[in-house]
Amino acid sequence: MSIEQTLRDRSDDKCELCGAQDNLSVYEVPPVAEPNSDKSVLVCSTCDSQITSTDGVYDTNHWRCLNDSMWSQVPAVQVMAYRMLKRMNSESWAQDALDMIYLEDDVREWADSAAGDALEADEPTLDNNKAALAAGDNVVLIKDLVVKGANFTAKRGTAVRNISLTSNPLHIEGRVNGTRIVIISDYVKKM
């Protein structure tokens, strides 16, 4: 049986990411040494064009489907859901999904092996002491920050746990007083 037929049987002739039924094709989830159905997903033309896009522009409303597909039992689907959520981690719903997603250790290694393909090429995000910051790090605010629109001030010394990086290396995102805010990376130091 061909890889495509195996994927069609596995997915019930639907895109494994968004559920669309038209213009389906096989997408090999990198890195792939030898093509097989375990390292591939069946995707629609919309998902395929955005997965392979190099301009960093995504139809974020289309990708809300990942809230469902990230729970797939198929590792290749989990990896693609994780990678697309990482690409859109500046969206609050995508960051919330990333906070909830569960991947086995070997699947997470696979997902991380090419997850930041667009982000890794960019310059690193640095804290006030020029230490490189990574998603999931914990930081401390080094100055009081007035949070516009939330009517509070984030005080110096406040710990911000499990930060996420944005497409702008000068900014990070994190939760302070239960509110997700964007913070200038020069106003924090790594814990």
Side-chain angles (χ1 to χ4, degrees):
M1 187 182 306
S2 72
I3 293 173
E4 182 173 358
Q5 190 55 51
T6 302
L7 295 178
R8 285 183 178 278
D9 290 347
R10 178 175 83 190
S11 69
D12 198 25
D13 280 326
K14 294 178 183 170
C15 175
E16 293 184 278
L17 297 176
C18 74
Q21 295 178 318
D22 298 325
N23 301 319
L24 301 175
S25 62
V26 175
Y27 177 79
E28 294 176 356
V29 182
V32 177
E34 186 174 321
N36 67 59
S37 59
D38 292 338
K39 297 281 187 178
S40 303
V41 293
L42 192 66
V43 296
C44 66
S45 58
T46 303
C47 288
D48 186 47
S49 66
Q50 293 197 32
I51 289 169
T52 57
S53 170
T54 56
D55 63 8
V57 177
Y58 306 104
D59 178 0
T60 55
N61 284 329
H62 172 79
W63 288 110
R64 288 182 182 264
C65 62
L66 296 175
N67 284 318
D68 294 328
S69 57
M70 72 182 199
W71 300 111
S72 171
Q73 296 300 307
V74 178
V77 175
Q78 294 172 349
V79 168
M80 285 311 305
Y82 177 83
R83 288 179 180 176
M84 291 309 296
L85 288 168
K86 289 287 275 187
R87 288 184 189 181
M88 294 178 286
N89 72 354
S90 61
E91 297 285 327
S92 61
W93 66 267
Q95 185 59 50
D96 290 342
L98 278 170
D99 291 344
M100 290 188 298
I101 196 169
Y102 173 78
L103 301 175
E104 295 289 339
D105 291 340
D106 58 329
V107 176
R108 182 166 298 272
E109 283 179 33
W110 178 19
D112 285 335
S113 66
D117 49 350
L119 294 176
E120 288 173 14
D122 295 339
E123 60 186 89
T125 301
L126 304 175
D127 72 357
N128 187 265
N129 295 326
K130 304 304 178 216
L133 296 173
D137 282 348
N138 299 324
V139 297
V140 175
L141 298 178
I142 61 169
K143 67 180 280 182
D144 291 351
L145 302 175
V146 176
V147 181
K148 297 177 182 173
N151 297 327
F152 72 89
T153 300
K155 298 290 185 185
R156 185 175 127 199
T158 300
V160 182
R161 302 194 187 289
N162 196 22
I163 65 165
S164 59
L165 303 181
T166 67
S167 56
N168 183 344
L170 302 177
H171 296 152
I172 62 170
E173 286 188 5
R175 289 195 187 276
V176 176
N177 294 343
T179 304
R180 179 167 287 283
I181 62 171
V182 175
I183 305 167
I184 296 173
S185 61
D186 203 39
Y187 296 164
V188 300
K189 72 176 181 177
K190 194 172 185 176
M191 292 174 67

